[in-house]
Each structure stands twice: as C-alpha cells, then as structure tokens.
Amino acid sequence: RSKTIHKNLNPVWDEKVSLLVESLREPLYVKVFDYDFGLQDDFMGSAYLYLESLETLDVTLDLKDPHYPNHDLGSLELAVTLIPKEGDFREHQSLRLSDVHRKAQLWRGIVSISLIEARDLQPMDANGLSDPYVKFRMGHQKYKSKTIPKTLTPQWREQFDFHLYDEQGGFIDVTIWDKDAGKKDDFMGRCQVDLSVLSKECTHRLDLPLEEGEGTLVLLVTLTASAAVSIADLSVNVLDDPHERKEILHRYNLLRSFHNIKDVGMVQVKVIRAEGLMAADVTGKSDPFCVVELSNDRLQTHTVYKNLNPEWNKVFTFNVKDIHSVLEVTVYDEDRDRSADFLGKVAIPLLNIQNGERKAYALKSKELTGPTKGVIFLEIDVIYNIVKAGMRTLIPIEQKYIEDEPRVSKQLLLHNFNRVRRCIMFLVNAGCYINSCFEWESPQRSICAFLLFVVVVWNFELYMVPLVLLMLLAWNYVLIASGKDTRQGDVVTVEDLLEDEEEDFDRDDKDSERKGFMNKLYAIQDVCISVQNALDEVASYGERIKNTFNWTVPFLSWLTIVALCATTLVVYFIPLRYIVLAWGVNKFTKKLRDPYSIDNNELLDFLSRVPSDVQMVGIPYYIHPYCQLLQHCN
C-alpha cells in the first residue's frame, strides 16, 4: 500500500518496494483507490502486470474496471526490475511496507482555525440578504460551519482543528455558501489558506478576500507542533519504560495544571489480537485489519490475510484533548475492488478504562445495539490531568469531520419518539403528583407538603438551590454505593432493544406480509401525527404570545396592560417571598374552601383566547385599539 497523494489526478508517488515472486506465471495485480475518511474508499481502477512477457523496465498499465471494461480510468506508470532470488526478502519487504504505511497515517502537527466573521457578502436571496455558512477542506478532512440566517456580515466564532501531514505545510480550501431550503445552495465565493508561509507556534489573523464572489472572510490560524501520536510494535512500549513513564506522569501532574491547557493527557492502546471473527470471503476466511479512532484522530494496523484469528501486536498512542471522548476500535475485512467490509466494533469511554488491564471485548454491530461474531483483545492506559480535564469540559466539544447525511429510519424515528415521550411523561407524572397534593387526595401527604412549602418559602435563600442539587447527587451516590442502583429503570438496555427487534421479527413471521407492512405504516403514521400535534401546540402558544403584544385582539392587549400594571405595583411594594407564600396557600386551600372547584391555569386560559396565526387566516381580528376602546365606551 502506497502513501496517499491528496487532491491530485496526476499523482507522483516515487516509492520503491521489493516483492517476493514465487512464480513468473502469476501476474502482479495493482489496484488504485481514492482515499475517503471513514474507510469508504472508492475504487478507481486496476490492472495486471504479466511478468512472463515483461520486456522493458518502464511499464505503462491502463487502469480498468472489471465491471465496466470499456471505461477509460487513466494509466499507471511503473519501473519494474526482475532479479534472481537470493536469500529471503520477506523480512525486508514487511518492514518497508510497514514503514510506508506508518508514515502515511501519522500527522506532523495541528492546524487550528477560528472562523470569526465575514464582511460585505453578496446578497443571494430576494430579501437582499443571505444565509451564509462556510466549508473547509484539507485533503480528506472536511468541516462545515453553522448557518447564520439573514445577514451579510455573519459572526460565527467557531473553531476547527486539522491534522497536518505534510511538514512543508499545505493548502486549506475555504468556500462560502448560501443555505436554501428545498433547492441547491448558492455558491458565494472561495479563498485559500497557504500554510507554508505561516510561522508555527503563533496565531495569524487573516483577512481573505473572496474569489468568484464579494466580501472578506476573517480567520485566526494557529500551527502547533505534532501531537503525541505514534504507531509502534508491541515490543516498543513507551509506558513500559520507567523513565518515559515518569516523564509522562510529570507532564500531567497537578503542579502543571495551567501549562498547555489543551494537552489534557495521553492514551496508549495495545491492539493485541482478535479471535473468532466473521468469515467475510467466499473462502471462509477474512483479511482483517483494525482501525482505532479517538474523536478525529484515526490510525490503523496492517492487514493479516486469510485469517479469522489475527495477531496485530501494535501499540497506538493518542493525545487526549477531551477526557469525555470515546475510544472506538473497529475491525474491517479488506476487499479487492470494494470498500472494506465491517466485521465488528467496540466503543470504550476513556473514563471507564482500567489502566493496564488486558481484556477481551466482544465485538458489536455498527450501531452498538447487538453483538457480532468475535472478540478483540486490548490493553489500554490513560494518563491525564484532572484539572485540565475539568476546565476543558466547559468549552465547546470538538466537532467531527463532515459525515454522510443521515438516512430516514423507521426504527430510529420510533425510538427517538419514545425517548422524548418518556421525558415528557416524567414531567407530566411529576406535575400530577404535585397537583395531587393540592387536591388533598392523601390528607397526610398534602399536610406534609403544605408545611414543607411554608417552611421552605419563609426561609428560602438563593444558596439553597445549588445545595439541594448537591444533596440530590449525594443521595444518589449513597444509593449506588449501597447497591441500590436506581439508574437501571431509566436506561434502555441493549437486551431491551434486541428483544424489541426479535418481537418485531416474530410478529412479521406470524402475520402476512401485507399486514406487517400496514402495521409499520400505521406506527409511522401515529408517530407523525403525535409529532405534528405537539409541534402545532408549541407553535400555537408561541404565536399567541406574539399576537398578545402586537395588538391582534386589542381587548386582550388592553387586559394584558391592566394585569401587567397591577403585577408591577404588587411586586414593587410586596416582597417576592410573601407573594409566593400567598400563591401556595391559595393553591393548597382552594380544594378545602371549595371541594367542587374546577382546576384551571389562568395564564393558559388567557392565551387560549388569543388566536394563533393559523386561526387568523380569513378572520378580521385586527381593529385599531383606540377605535375598539371607543366602541366599548359607547
């Protein structure tokens, strides 16, 4: 495998490799791929080099696609030399390929880009404004900023980090687009950042004029030295060296908490071996390799061919920028002329790692909802500074590279709907419980709640809010420490998800195909109707509040003025503690004073009289407030 040449249709590799040839009758097979982050590499063509008929040193191979042999995919130029076999070349070959593979993965530094603002952009919409967002691209690394609506001078204030693979620098392509709903986004201009002219370890402010457009883009660019990233064999282990381990522990001790805040810690991952992998090839074997990812950092092992129990024995070292990151280890099967096949995956939060523990992890599916075949043996060590980790928790999380657009999924839609419904039902149940105290359904509970309310309101101080939350955390910690873990009832386990899938599968087997399809259609319809009604309810209340203040119904607006004036006077002359106390006493004694009273919320009752925008269509609600007042007076 050669190194990757970024952004080029005429790449020059200039690499040399020695291969052991068992027979001249067996041709050399060459494949070319387009590297894409996320392992969705695109096949660009292949060719056979027939060694028996080799006559010249310089060879030009025409690349072809076996499925479309008439397509012209370009050519590949090789300089080939055949020499007699003398000794064993296998060790030399594996070392050289391993070295090339390692250099193609490791980055030499980090480029931090702060997207500040743009000025004097070109208007792209009919209202004379635009909805701009920015795309960054450097090789396979891509980012997309948020969209700032209706402006020609957007302020983004976002930061993105790129890996710098070329020591000489490189170029970052920047494009600005106008977001359009329902149609293709409009191109607004482009510019380019030349990293080779920027000095390292300092921040550069760049005011870049846009080409093919109007305006200026303002960026802050910082180049820093290489992060602590490495690939080594198992025998070369940094943390096993007492001197190296002592230096690393010193780098992240508490006394250096305010030195290089971004350097939170380091993690070392030993990828030892896998057992019992899935057979992905027709031969009953696989060609597995392993990919280790931490946020946007991604490294991979070599491929072990035709093996279901591969041994990699590699050590990966990453720089930890966020202790809340999740380490993902994925096993793939390398395929000829296709992107790699997924074999299994594990995800391990850094905070859950036990240092130095060699453990077998069961491989799971892509969504981590169920097991797949095989286990992988890992040994992980995490060293970090707890103060830096706490400080980094309070800043925005690192954005992931741009990924594929999400697809519509019935299961995901139903699952997310049920998650939201559980949260809402928790709030509804809490409200019902509080309301039951007002209704005196249980006299003992209502008396205790009333006394507690009076005591808390009378003695309330602002410091009690964080104190109550602190007590809640302490109480749950005591329950967990004593073995009474209350979290299990609130978490949907993998077994529950698999059980639901099995029930759906069994149900589909029992029912006819048409009935199963109709059931799914009705389930989606129910979710859509519920979401539609909830959105309508939220939108209606928002529009009613707006229409209250823009005099859509002047009578209600005048009523609001009277209520707000009265509220202002009451709050100005009466302490808030007494107002809350009076409200609570009224709510608790209302049922005792009038057992047959109907529950109501005065504010919601008022808003229900204000029309929403939908209700106003075709209804002439608006009358000049002064004219309507005269009508009432007359």
Side-chain angles (χ1 to χ4, degrees):
R1 173 169 172 167
S2 72
K3 63 184 179 182
T4 301
I5 306 297
H6 297 290
K7 299 183 62 178
N8 204 319
L9 297 179
N10 302 289
V12 178
W13 286 281
D14 195 19
E15 294 184 40
K16 181 179 180 181
V17 63
S18 299
L19 299 174
L20 182 64
V21 179
E22 297 290 346
S23 173
L24 293 180
R25 296 179 180 178
E26 184 176 346
L28 182 69
Y29 188 58
V30 184
K31 299 175 290 182
V32 180
F33 289 92
D34 170 56
Y35 177 79
D36 285 330
F37 181 78
L39 291 172
Q40 299 300 314
D41 296 346
D42 300 319
F43 176 70
M44 298 181 67
S46 63
Y48 284 98
L49 176 62
Y50 295 95
L51 304 179
E52 280 185 311
S53 58
L54 188 63
E55 297 179 354
T56 61
L57 295 180
D58 295 327
V59 181
T60 299
L61 300 178
D62 293 327
L63 296 175
K64 298 293 182 181
D65 187 340
H67 300 291
Y68 305 97
N70 295 327
H71 289 187
D72 183 12
L73 301 180
S75 61
L76 192 67
E77 296 184 4
L78 305 175
V80 185
T81 303
L82 284 174
I83 57 175
K85 177 182 176 182
E86 296 178 0
D88 193 354
F89 289 88
R90 289 184 180 271
E91 183 178 356
H92 172 73
Q93 167 206 351
S94 62
L95 286 175
R96 187 171 185 84
L97 285 177
S98 177
D99 183 59
V100 170
H101 182 68
R102 183 183 296 112
K103 289 181 178 179
Q105 293 190 73
L106 298 180
W107 49 94
R108 274 69 174 174
I110 301 293
V111 182
S112 296
I113 291 188
S114 296
L115 175 60
I116 306 301
E117 63 183 5
R119 297 191 295 263
D120 305 323
L121 294 180
Q122 181 180 358
M124 305 299 292
D125 298 335
N127 57 9
L129 300 173
S130 296
D131 307 314
Y133 65 90
V134 180
K135 287 183 177 181
F136 297 90
R137 183 183 182 98
M138 182 180 178
H140 66 275
Q141 305 172 80
K142 297 181 289 184
Y143 284 111
K144 179 181 176 181
S145 75
K146 61 187 177 183
T147 302
I148 308 297
K150 298 180 181 180
T151 181
L152 298 179
T153 57
Q155 303 272 336
W156 284 284
R157 301 295 195 271
E158 293 183 82
Q159 180 176 327
F160 310 95
D161 289 340
F162 290 90
H163 293 151
L164 186 61
Y165 290 89
D166 188 355
E167 293 180 352
Q168 303 301 321
F171 292 92
I172 298 179
D173 294 319
V174 186
T175 54
I176 299 186
W177 301 80
D178 170 58
K179 182 71 175 179
D180 286 328
K183 60 179 182 178
K184 188 177 180 180
D185 296 345
D186 298 322
F187 176 74
M188 298 182 66
R190 71 172 71 248
C191 56
Q192 197 173 61
V193 180
D194 185 359
L195 300 178
S196 62
V197 300
L198 302 179
S199 57
K200 295 184 178 180
E201 307 301 337
C202 64
T203 300
H204 306 267
R205 176 190 168 100
L206 304 179
D207 292 359
L208 303 173
L210 295 177
E211 302 174 4
E212 304 176 37
E214 300 176 4
T216 305
L217 191 66
V218 180
L219 306 175
L220 297 180
V221 182
T222 306
L223 278 69
T224 57
S226 177
V229 179
S230 66
I231 307 175
D233 293 327
L234 199 60
S235 57
V236 185
N237 185 359
V238 175
L239 292 181
D240 285 348
D241 184 347
H243 178 69
E244 292 286 346
R245 189 180 187 92
K246 184 178 179 180
E247 283 191 359
I248 293 173
L249 290 173
H250 173 71
R251 188 195 313 166
Y252 299 113
N253 64 22
L254 291 177
L255 297 178
R256 297 175 59 86
S257 297
F258 298 97
H259 180 267
N260 193 4
I261 299 298
K262 291 186 177 181
D263 186 16
V264 174
M266 63 89 68
V267 57
Q268 177 180 273
V269 184
K270 296 180 183 178
V271 181
I272 302 166
R273 67 182 189 278
E275 292 182 358
L277 295 179
M278 185 189 313
D281 298 336
V282 293
T283 60
K285 299 289 185 178
S286 292
D287 304 321
F289 65 95
C290 185
V291 176
V292 184
E293 295 178 86
L294 185 66
S295 297
N296 283 323
D297 299 345
R298 174 181 175 275
L299 299 173
Q300 72 182 59
T301 67
H302 59 283
T303 302
V304 179
Y305 293 98
K306 298 180 181 179
N307 203 320
L308 299 180
N309 302 292
E311 291 192 10
W312 293 289
N313 293 323
K314 292 294 181 182
V315 179
F316 300 92
T317 305
F318 293 95
N319 190 35
V320 176
K321 292 174 280 189
D322 189 349
I323 196 60
H324 305 284
S325 300
V326 177
L327 181 72
E328 295 183 356
V329 182
T330 312
V331 181
Y332 293 91
D333 169 67
E334 182 181 302
D335 264 345
R336 174 178 293 185
D337 301 344
R338 289 189 302 167
S339 59
D341 293 329
F342 176 85
L343 296 180
K345 175 181 180 180
V346 294
I348 311 162
L350 294 184
L351 289 173
N352 291 357
I353 290 173
Q354 299 292 329
N355 283 353
E357 179 184 16
R358 181 168 296 191
K359 186 176 179 181
Y361 295 88
L363 295 174
K364 297 183 179 181
S365 62
K366 282 185 179 180
E367 296 78 18
L368 300 173
T369 55
T372 59
K373 192 175 180 182
V375 296
I376 186 169
F377 290 83
L378 306 172
E379 183 178 329
I380 311 173
D381 288 272
V382 180
I383 298 175
Y384 67 96
N385 182 291
I386 191 171
V387 176
K388 292 182 182 180
M391 295 171 66
R392 291 283 292 175
T393 304
L394 304 178
I395 67 174
I397 193 171
E398 181 183 7
Q399 294 193 34
K400 292 282 285 184
Y401 292 146
I402 295 177
E403 299 175 348
D404 295 336
E405 292 293 331
R407 298 178 179 177
V408 177
S409 169
K410 175 184 75 73
Q411 290 83 0
L412 186 60
L413 177 63
L414 293 173
H415 179 56
N416 290 339
F417 175 75
N418 290 329
R419 290 167 57 199
V420 175
R421 186 172 63 180
R422 279 196 298 270
C423 296
I424 295 175
M425 289 307 300
F426 173 79
L427 298 177
V428 170
N429 292 335
C432 292
Y433 182 83
I434 295 174
N435 191 62
S436 68
C437 296
F438 295 146
E439 297 292 327
W440 292 83
E441 295 177 1
S442 172
Q444 296 87 352
R445 185 173 61 194
S446 296
I447 291 174
C448 293
F450 176 70
L451 294 177
L452 179 63
F453 173 80
V454 172
V455 171
V456 170
V457 172
W458 186 258
N459 299 283
F460 177 78
E461 298 293 343
L462 195 59
Y463 71 85
M464 293 182 180
V465 175
L467 181 61
V468 169
L469 298 177
L470 185 63
M471 293 172 62
L472 178 62
L473 285 169
W475 173 251
N476 285 332
Y477 179 81
V478 170
L479 289 179
I480 294 172
S482 61
K484 300 177 181 179
D485 194 347
T486 59
R487 298 172 295 178
Q488 300 303 321
D490 301 331
V491 178
V492 180
T493 61
V494 173
E495 288 75 10
D496 295 335
L497 293 174
L498 293 176
E499 192 174 302
D500 293 340
E501 292 178 2
E502 290 175 1
E503 289 177 0
D504 292 340
F505 182 78
D506 293 340
R507 192 182 302 115
D508 290 341
D509 283 347
K510 294 176 183 178
D511 298 338
S512 65
E513 183 177 351
R514 182 177 180 277
K515 187 175 180 181
F517 174 76
M518 294 304 296
N519 286 340
K520 294 177 182 178
L521 190 62
Y522 288 142
I524 295 176
Q525 182 178 353
D526 291 341
V527 172
C528 292
I529 291 174
S530 301
V531 172
Q532 173 182 290
N533 293 337
L535 293 176
D536 176 66
E537 192 80 10
V538 173
S540 295
Y541 276 111
E543 292 168 354
R544 285 168 176 164
I545 294 173
K546 176 198 70 174
N547 292 336
T548 300
F549 287 89
N550 67 8
W551 295 86
T552 299
V553 182
F555 176 80
L556 295 175
S557 298
W558 281 114
L559 191 61
T560 303
I561 289 176
V562 174
L564 291 176
C565 290
T567 304
T568 302
L569 293 174
V570 169
V571 174
Y572 182 79
F573 289 106
I574 302 176
L576 184 61
R577 188 191 310 273
Y578 296 149
I579 297 174
V580 176
L581 194 61
W583 173 84
V585 170
N586 174 65
K587 292 292 287 184
F588 273 104
T589 60
K590 186 176 182 179
K591 203 68 175 180
L592 297 178
R593 290 183 279 110
D594 186 2
Y596 304 106
S597 63
I598 299 175
D599 293 332
N600 70 307
N601 185 299
E602 291 79 4
L603 181 59
L604 295 181
D605 292 339
F606 172 83
L607 288 177
S608 66
R609 269 69 173 185
V610 182
S612 65
D613 290 352
V614 175
Q615 293 171 329
M616 288 174 58
V617 176
I619 303 177
Y621 273 101
Y622 181 79
I623 304 176
H624 193 280
Y626 179 71
C627 297
Q628 191 180 58
L629 184 61
L630 289 179
Q631 289 177 1
H632 283 295
C633 293
N634 293 334

